[in-house]
Amino acid sequence: MSQQHSAIAPAPNSAKAKRSDWWRDAVIYQVYPRSFADSNGDGMGDLEGVRSRLPYLRDLGVDAVWLSPFYASPQADAGYDVADYRAVDPMFGNLLDADALIRDAHGLDLRVIVDLVPNHSSDQHEWFKRALAEGPGSPLRDRYHFRPGKGVSGELPPNDWESIFGGPAWTRVPDGEWYLHLFAPEQPDFNWEHPAVGDEFRSILRFWLDMGVDGFRIDVAHGLVKAEGLPDLGGADQLKLLGNDVMPFFDQDGVHEIYRQWRHVLDEYAGERIFVAEAWTPTVERTANYVRPDELHQAFNFQYLSTAWDAKELRTVIDRTLEAMRPVGAPATWVLSNHDVTRHATRFANPPGLGTQIRTAGDRELGLRRARAASLLMLALPGSAYVYQGEELGLPDVVDLPDEVRQDPAYFRGAGQDGFRDGCRVPIPWTRDGSSYGFGDGGSWLPQPASWGGLSVEAQSGEAGSTLELYRAALRLRRAQPDLGAGEAVEWLRAPEGVLAFRRGEFVCVANTGGESVTTPAYGRLLLSSGEVTEADGEAKLPADTTVWWTTA
């Protein structure tokens, strides 16, 4: 008997949404607002557009929506340069739109998580503008990292740190002082040693909690505290150091006291609100420090995101993740794509070792097959999973965008990050036809490929074997199967080389990461598969790059 995917579970209900520990096994969907849905035809997605598509997310089966920044911003870095943390940028709407979105989401049993950007502000933030205007010695300058330069006339930067976007991490102002920016010059870093900074962000937390948000994703959670004295790297390779050791401007132990204070604020509110850390650390063990019981609730698992589609490597990172999270009592998180990396349908279409920003389309058929299999594997693991908008459609990166339309600030600096993040930010398609495939009535801020219509929600809805229907089925089953979701461990089963097989109670997941078909036991009733599986005489033949879910019940 040949099967692809079957045994669809009943539609989700609101029981999970009412649980106090909902976040331990939540599936959280990342919305990049400018690329999700455009309600007013200006080519830019907005909050009203997101609000109009909330029923789609409810029907997809996710538990929460994470919104990338929509605050008032000059948009030097797509909203991660915030000028006012208590205002909505006009391109996205206004505070009434944010309030309506939160209320509608809650009415659909969806939680809402918003981005918080505490490492740096925009250079158009009122504090920074006043600091520049008032000059050296201004108390406002103490809220950022202003320093005199080195050299005879202060003409050299205060230290040798480099921006993540390339070039020096310091910019000199006309009065001769320099200010620190680990990212773009338009993003000056806050000085978290100054008490006013902590006071301000605790107030910002309360502002949005009072609006009803269910949590915060903390941008650059590892970067707020810098090493005392801002020491030189001393010739060390900054990028290599990031992968192997703690840098003087990342993952300093002082960040943890900040998050303990924030946890007190969050715990004042009913409804189990949560914090999620974007914490790039050298090891998953260092990541676990962020999710101790009195700090944050979750931290992104970037080690997993960076792992190749390889059974041995995946098992290693899965085991290390579960082992690291167990002592602190936090759930593991799993993620394959986001707004800063090449979509996994394209990453897996290329040879491993190219990093997380890739410039070639690769073998798209292979990439999609692996992406579907990887998604089923991710959703079977214990803990919480993150889905980036459009991955449920199997969208690839748009790797051939003309240079003149690119907007990633790192692209124009020619160093540091590759600057090819625009490819994963192209607006997603909703319909087969139209000027922007249903994104809006006025085109889109980044051009969409001609192939987008065939990958749209409309084209894939109800289509047997489509990636969208695979995700819908997987998320329904995840809710229905008592052995899926939260947990601390998996029971590994013997499997052929290149195959991962594990049991969780009466549930079994088998993933063939190799390039050839394999034969494994048929572990029971087939629930779902990412590719065509043939069963006979108690055995199952799995094609290459295929994941299967079974139940022994």
Side-chain angles (χ1 to χ4, degrees):
M1 178 174 62
S2 176
Q3 300 187 44
Q4 186 163 9
H5 25 111
S6 58
I8 305 302
N13 56 53
S14 62
K16 183 174 181 178
K18 294 179 171 61
R19 282 176 22 206
S20 62
D21 62 347
W22 64 272
W23 46 276
R24 288 191 169 274
D25 59 356
V27 177
I28 300 173
Y29 186 98
Q30 181 188 358
V31 167
Y32 194 66
R34 59 171 55 207
S35 298
F36 194 65
D38 171 20
S39 71
N40 59 10
D42 66 355
M44 186 68 66
D46 47 47
L47 294 184
E48 183 58 31
V50 177
R51 182 185 174 201
S52 72
R53 298 293 187 178
L54 288 175
Y56 165 79
L57 298 179
R58 184 268 319 274
D59 294 342
L60 180 62
V62 301
D63 302 296
V65 180
W66 153 33
L67 298 166
S68 292
F70 51 80
Y71 308 111
S73 166
Q75 303 295 321
D77 185 24
Y80 283 93
D81 50 317
V82 181
D84 187 343
Y85 291 85
R86 297 177 182 83
V88 173
D89 195 281
M91 74 162 57
F92 298 123
N94 54 45
L95 284 173
L96 291 177
D97 296 320
D99 179 72
L101 189 160
I102 294 166
R103 290 174 183 271
D104 282 9
H106 289 168
L108 295 170
D109 293 324
L110 292 169
R111 308 268 183 158
V112 178
I113 296 169
V114 298
D115 238 305
L116 189 67
V117 188
N119 179 71
H120 48 261
S121 73
S122 165
D123 62 353
Q124 297 305 302
H125 190 285
E126 188 61 30
W127 282 6
F128 193 77
K129 290 196 296 183
R130 286 176 54 196
L132 289 183
E134 293 175 8
S138 165
L140 270 298
R141 292 204 174 189
D142 292 338
R143 299 180 186 184
Y144 295 90
H145 293 279
F146 279 87
R147 296 288 188 278
K150 293 181 178 179
V152 176
S153 304
E155 72 277 9
L156 300 176
N159 68 23
D160 61 1
W161 295 1
E162 294 182 5
S163 164
I164 303 302
F165 286 167
W170 296 89
T171 289
R172 197 177 194 188
V173 299
D175 57 46
E177 287 198 330
W178 298 73
Y179 68 88
L180 176 69
H181 52 86
L182 292 182
F183 295 89
E186 297 88 350
Q187 296 168 290
D189 279 46
F190 284 116
N191 174 18
W192 273 88
E193 300 297 325
H194 196 292
V197 177
D199 291 344
E200 171 69 356
F201 272 91
R202 287 189 293 274
S203 173
I204 292 167
L205 291 176
R206 289 191 171 93
F207 177 88
W208 289 103
L209 290 166
D210 290 341
M211 283 274 286
V213 303
D214 300 286
F216 301 88
R217 176 264 190 188
I218 306 169
D219 185 62
V220 197
H222 54 299
L224 277 57
V225 173
K226 281 66 174 175
E228 185 176 357
L230 308 183
D232 283 333
L233 284 170
D237 186 312
Q238 182 165 306
L239 293 178
K240 288 183 179 178
L241 195 56
L242 177 61
N244 296 292
D245 205 347
V246 178
M247 291 191 287
F249 46 84
F250 280 161
D251 196 29
Q252 294 291 307
D253 289 337
V255 300
H256 300 291
E257 179 55 33
I258 295 170
Y259 299 137
R260 292 186 190 100
Q261 294 176 18
W262 286 13
R263 183 63 178 264
H264 287 305
V265 173
L266 211 64
D267 289 347
E268 296 171 5
Y269 289 79
E272 196 72 8
R273 321 291 178 97
I274 70 165
F275 287 121
V276 182
E278 182 208 30
W280 289 90
T281 65
T283 65
V284 69
E285 290 80 11
R286 290 286 300 184
T287 301
N289 291 336
Y290 290 78
V291 290
R292 289 175 286 202
D294 60 344
E295 295 189 42
L296 310 179
H297 297 77
Q298 294 184 351
F300 289 138
N301 190 344
F302 292 116
Q303 285 79 14
Y304 186 76
L305 182 150
S306 303
T307 302
W309 179 240
D310 175 86
K312 184 177 181 180
E313 293 184 29
L314 286 164
R315 178 166 175 171
T316 297
V317 75
I318 291 167
D319 282 342
R320 286 192 64 182
T321 297
L322 294 172
E323 289 168 6
M325 296 299 137
R326 196 174 298 121
V328 295
T333 65
W334 314 101
V335 61
L336 291 167
S337 291
N338 64 36
H339 65 290
D340 279 335
V341 301
T342 300
R343 290 182 178 275
H344 61 283
T346 296
R347 273 204 326 278
F348 293 152
N350 284 275
L354 298 182
T356 58
Q357 291 187 19
I358 296 172
R359 308 180 189 186
T360 64
D363 184 336
R364 287 188 172 175
E365 182 180 347
L366 173 66
L368 179 59
R369 189 166 69 245
R370 289 177 170 177
R372 289 162 55 94
S375 297
L376 280 196
L377 173 62
M378 174 185 76
L379 291 171
L381 293 169
S384 181
Y386 283 78
V387 173
Y388 177 51
Q389 64 176 47
E391 75 172 71
E392 78 277 14
L393 304 176
L395 295 186
D397 250 48
V398 182
V399 298
D400 55 355
L401 288 169
D403 292 352
E404 61 270 18
V405 306
R406 292 189 178 275
Q407 300 193 34
D408 184 351
Y411 177 77
F412 300 100
R413 290 179 170 81
Q417 292 185 0
D418 290 337
F420 283 82
R421 297 178 297 176
D422 291 317
C424 66
R425 300 175 177 183
V426 172
I428 67 173
W430 295 94
T431 60
R432 287 187 176 92
D433 303 306
S435 62
S436 62
Y437 304 105
F439 169 68
D441 296 329
S444 61
W445 68 283
L446 284 172
Q448 300 158 298
S451 61
W452 242 220
L455 297 174
S456 66
V457 172
E458 181 183 36
Q460 296 194 44
S461 290
E463 185 70 23
S466 73
T467 302
L468 176 57
E469 293 300 339
L470 178 69
Y471 268 77
R472 285 172 171 167
L475 293 176
R476 289 190 186 114
L477 283 166
R478 185 179 162 100
R479 285 179 182 254
Q481 291 292 315
D483 294 313
L484 282 177
E488 295 184 345
V490 300
E491 175 192 350
W492 292 108
L493 305 174
R494 293 185 63 180
E497 186 176 355
V499 175
L500 288 173
F502 61 83
R503 185 189 304 276
R504 300 184 62 197
E506 295 177 335
F507 172 85
V508 175
C509 177
V510 181
N512 178 14
T513 71
E516 304 291 338
S517 296
V518 296
T519 299
T520 71
Y523 286 96
R525 178 166 57 93
L526 189 150
L527 292 172
L528 191 61
S529 63
S530 66
E532 193 164 312
V533 175
T534 304
E535 296 180 81
D537 301 324
E539 293 185 329
K541 187 175 182 180
L542 277 63
D545 305 310
T546 299
T547 297
V548 184
W549 288 3
W550 310 86
T551 179
T552 60

